[in-house]
Amino acid sequence: VETPEQMCLRLSKEAARAGVRYEGTRDTEDERVLLFHGLLVAGLFSPNPPTWRNSGTANSQNAACFVHGVWDDMPLNFTELAALPRWWGFDIWIAGERFALNRGDLLAYDRRLDLRTGVLTRTVSWRAGAAAPVVELRFERLVSYAAAQEAAVRVRIRAEAEAVDVRVRAGLDSYVDNTGLVHWDPVAQEVDETTSMLVARTRATGISVALAAAVAVEGGTSEAKACDAERSPASDQYLVVVPGQPVTVTKFVAVVPDV
């Protein structure tokens, strides 16, 4: 059985490894471990539950979103908060290659949280391989405290030296799990070139959640297509990004549970 001290140390080591790898920090990995461990045990920072459970283990699920009151049954315990259908983020293909931090060449990485505005920003310089075009991706995410059911995610794409074809998929996905346990059954979905709608219901407690997403594109040349995949409605934006003319894709989201 893992003790609280062991859990904090496991999480600190994984965060330190990621920081050294992606953020180009001048600190050593051991220095990052001590820094992050101090924040955890002092109660000055806490990640989301999947990160507490899974970081540094064979289970790689470290991202999730929860709403208080959306519970569902689970084995052994009575209930747990069900991870909401995935509304955040984009799926991106650059010159036909899928973008991911653990694929291709990560040339630069920076992540910042503005505590005044609540905007999380991540900037990445990336290419699929040595001969592939280099692009800069600047991601922003905001959850509104003034309107608790509203959120937005945005990516600005900038070509470094040559024009590049980019596909951005902006949608919703009800196939999410809590460390392997799936809580949602699909109820309804709709999609067109710029909007997606999804309704899902928890399997045991019968709590429904409705999500809607609308996509806006600024700059560049684009074509939109609907992708009506089962449980994952989305709109695909096909872009041509040229140097000096960045393209911004924004996904506005509403999440409405019946609690």
Side-chain angles (χ1 to χ4, degrees):
V1 177
E2 188 178 49
T3 67
E5 172 62 23
Q6 291 170 333
M7 180 171 60
C8 289
L9 187 58
R10 167 176 55 81
L11 185 58
S12 300
K13 289 181 177 179
E14 184 65 17
R17 280 193 291 267
V20 171
R21 177 180 179 186
Y22 294 129
E23 297 180 11
T25 176
R26 291 172 293 181
D27 300 333
T28 67
E29 188 170 313
D30 289 341
E31 288 173 332
R32 298 281 289 195
V33 170
L34 292 175
L35 172 63
F36 202 76
H37 184 267
L39 293 174
L40 292 176
V41 298
L44 298 176
F45 175 77
S46 177
N48 62 24
T51 302
W52 276 112
R53 290 195 300 264
N54 303 324
S55 188
T57 72
N59 190 323
S60 61
Q61 182 192 0
N62 290 328
C65 181
F66 303 91
V67 170
H68 181 67
V70 181
W71 305 90
D72 200 35
D73 292 358
M74 66 173 298
L76 303 181
N77 294 328
F78 292 106
T79 59
E80 67 175 353
L81 285 172
L84 287 181
R86 182 176 179 264
W87 57 264
W88 61 92
F90 299 96
D91 296 308
I92 300 175
W93 291 260
I94 299 169
E97 297 292 332
R98 187 183 181 93
F99 163 75
L101 290 179
N102 59 358
R103 302 176 64 176
D105 297 327
L106 182 63
L107 305 177
Y109 182 94
D110 181 77
R111 182 174 57 180
R112 301 168 187 266
L113 174 61
D114 188 326
L115 296 179
R116 182 178 61 85
T117 63
V119 177
L120 176 65
T121 302
R122 182 179 64 172
T123 305
V124 177
S125 181
W126 186 88
R127 66 185 178 188
V134 177
V135 297
E136 181 189 80
L137 304 170
R138 179 184 175 90
F139 298 91
E140 294 180 311
R141 184 185 303 174
L142 169 68
V143 176
S144 174
Y145 282 98
Q149 297 168 335
E150 298 176 8
V153 289
R154 173 183 295 155
V155 59
R156 188 194 68 178
I157 307 162
R158 185 172 65 87
E160 293 283 355
E162 58 185 292
V164 59
D165 294 327
V166 178
R167 175 159 63 111
V168 178
R169 173 166 292 174
L172 308 165
D173 185 3
S174 66
Y175 195 81
V176 296
D177 61 84
N178 285 41
T179 319
L181 181 61
V182 177
H183 286 294
W184 298 98
D185 284 325
V187 175
Q189 67 181 63
E190 294 181 9
V191 65
D192 59 29
E193 287 78 5
T194 58
T195 59
S196 306
M197 183 276 290
L198 176 69
V199 179
R201 182 178 297 120
T202 53
R203 292 182 166 183
T205 54
I207 297 173
S208 296
V209 62
L211 303 95
V215 179
V217 178
E218 302 175 44
T221 303
S222 65
E223 177 187 2
K225 295 182 180 180
C227 177
D228 195 16
E230 180 68 21
R231 302 176 70 118
S232 303
S235 62
D236 284 356
Q237 308 296 319
Y238 293 83
L239 315 168
V240 178
V241 185
V242 301
Q245 299 180 27
V247 178
T248 300
V249 181
T250 305
K251 179 169 70 171
F252 301 96
V253 181
V255 180
V256 184
D258 64 352
V259 292

